[in-house]
Amino acid sequence: MGDESSSPTDEGLEKALLDLVIESWRFTKLFQRVLMKLDAGEGTRYINQYRYYLKRLDDCLSQAGFHVANIEGHPYDAGMAASALNIGDFGPDDVLLVDQMVEPIIMGPDGLVRSGTVMLRKVAE
């Protein structure tokens, strides 16, 4: 018989999966910035691999009942499932957009699993 005290719990597995999702998301953002610096001919192969990785990541998350919500470019609302790092830079009447996601929002079968972190920008008037 195995030692059940050393086997991971469902909560431990979920936390490990979510941590892996966040680190994968950060890595894809970094890789995307690197791809933009490559020559068009040189980057084609890497872009295809990048797209394949994103598709596989999304498929695996879906199988586990999770997905990453991207709100970049959407109007900011204080009720969003994300905290804004630079909210203090704006006035109460400013119309704001989510400029960049610093950490992703992760949704599960029962709703929000982990809140995200964003940077905002003011909408040009």
Side-chain angles (χ1 to χ4, degrees):
M1 295 201 176
D3 180 10
E4 292 192 27
S5 65
S6 65
S7 64
T9 64
D10 286 346
E11 288 177 9
L13 286 174
E14 183 175 301
K15 182 184 179 327
L17 175 63
L18 295 177
D19 289 345
L20 183 60
V21 167
I22 290 171
E23 293 307 318
S24 294
W25 183 87
R26 286 179 179 152
F27 181 76
T28 61
K29 289 294 199 181
L30 173 68
F31 197 78
Q32 187 178 39
R33 286 193 300 269
V34 170
L35 285 174
M36 292 178 159
K37 295 179 180 186
L38 296 176
D39 294 332
E42 183 182 22
T44 303
R45 175 175 166 237
Y46 299 110
I47 290 170
N48 289 335
Q49 288 178 332
Y50 172 72
R51 288 181 183 149
Y52 175 77
Y53 176 77
L54 290 178
K55 175 73 171 118
R56 287 292 300 141
L57 181 62
D58 188 52
D59 290 348
C60 290
L61 284 175
S62 293
Q63 287 177 7
F66 298 102
H67 76 275
V68 174
N70 184 355
I71 58 171
E72 285 181 352
H74 291 185
Y76 176 72
D77 179 334
M80 288 181 152
S83 57
L85 293 176
N86 62 340
I87 191 69
D89 296 347
F90 305 101
D93 295 330
D94 290 338
V95 178
L96 305 172
L97 288 178
V98 175
D99 187 40
Q100 177 185 2
M101 293 195 63
V102 178
E103 288 191 349
I105 298 169
I106 302 175
M107 303 298 290
D110 299 322
L112 180 67
V113 175
R114 192 171 287 182
S115 297
T117 307
V118 299
M119 294 294 288
L120 304 174
R121 70 178 162 89
K122 188 175 176 180
V123 174
E125 295 177 22

